[in-house]
Amino acid sequence: MEPSDGYLLRNQQSEAQERFDAFASLFDPTTFRHLEGLGLAPGMRCWEVGAGGTSVVSWLADRVGPTGHVVATDIDISRLASVARPPVEVLVHDVGAQEPPGGGFDVVHARLVLVHVPDREKALRSMIGALRPGGMLLIEDADPALQPLTCPDEHGPEQRLANRLRRGFRELLADRGADLSYGRRLPRLLREAGLDDVRADAYFPMTSPACTALESATVRQIRGRLVAAGLATDEDIDRHLAHVAAGGMDLATAPMISAWGRKR
């Protein structure tokens, strides 16, 4: 395939909200547990990078309260209008290309963002530079190369088709510059960037209604790209979506790796 420009999973597409809702169900408990562990408290200043949806932004706003401040940024803020009120400030911002929106943040967080950013190194430097001394950075990103299958238990034709479509999805992501093994490098990258007390863990959901919803929304969102690239036919996709809707498959996501550390 020829290299393609642009983000594969755009917020303007109708399936985007379904994906945000599935991400919230799957990953918010892990994200909130980590943010609480960082000592989030009333009055703190937070930067939510690549916010996309509203669940994490709303949770942060509730925790920092009226005396705190949450800056929510994304290249597309079309789905953030409902939270654009104090203590939340919503800004259009490209973390890989622009200077950070102010500084002195107590907590900076990005989830499922950097794997898609072309200049990941610059983005990471920007987020660390925006922290105050003692501030905490939490980066959470997928590692599709670490667990590349939709159906780890590939025991029948339905599962084989699902995994073939997932391979096509990975090809489309890689063609747009996504780093499919980025998540596993996060602890080392945070240490190399000078952060202290670096720790990490991973979460790997395998079967849940949210996994099913995410798979359906994602395949429908990229359907045209898969067909145009010759990676699947419309018949393949219709058959797979019917299998997903039937509820008989165990559908997994890529592991999400969370890494965090403190600025000196």
Side-chain angles (χ1 to χ4, degrees), residues 12 16 52 70 166 182 194:
Q12 298 97 329
V70 177
R166 179 63 62 87
Y182 187 68

Side-chain angles (χ1 to χ4, degrees), residues 17-148:
Q17 188 59 54
E18 295 176 56
R19 296 184 77 251
F20 287 141
D21 290 343
F23 283 141
S25 295
L26 288 168
F27 300 125
D28 277 2
T30 297
T31 294
F32 298 162
R33 173 172 59 86
H34 289 315
L35 288 169
E36 286 182 334
L38 300 184
L40 198 68
M44 284 188 168
R45 300 186 72 247
C46 304
W47 178 16
E48 179 66 16
V49 181
T54 61
S55 65
V56 177
V57 177
S58 298
W59 188 91
L60 287 169
D62 181 65
R63 291 306 187 275
V64 303
T67 61
H69 189 58
V70 177
V71 179
T73 64
D74 205 326
I75 57 174
D76 178 359
I77 59 172
S78 59
R79 297 184 181 274
L80 293 171
S82 65
V83 295
R85 59 184 181 274
V88 175
E89 179 183 9
V90 175
L91 299 172
V92 176
H93 181 264
D94 184 342
V95 68
Q98 296 175 271
E99 293 299 311
F105 291 105
D106 299 290
V107 173
V108 174
H109 173 246
R111 185 174 77 187
L112 302 174
V113 173
L114 291 189
V115 68
H116 301 288
V117 174
D119 196 341
R120 284 171 280 274
E121 183 178 350
K122 180 178 179 180
L124 187 58
R125 289 198 309 268
S126 177
M127 287 187 282
I128 292 172
L131 286 167
R132 66 166 180 80
M136 300 294 294
L137 176 68
L138 171 62
I139 304 293
E140 301 181 297
D141 245 313
D143 195 315
L146 190 63
Q147 195 297 104

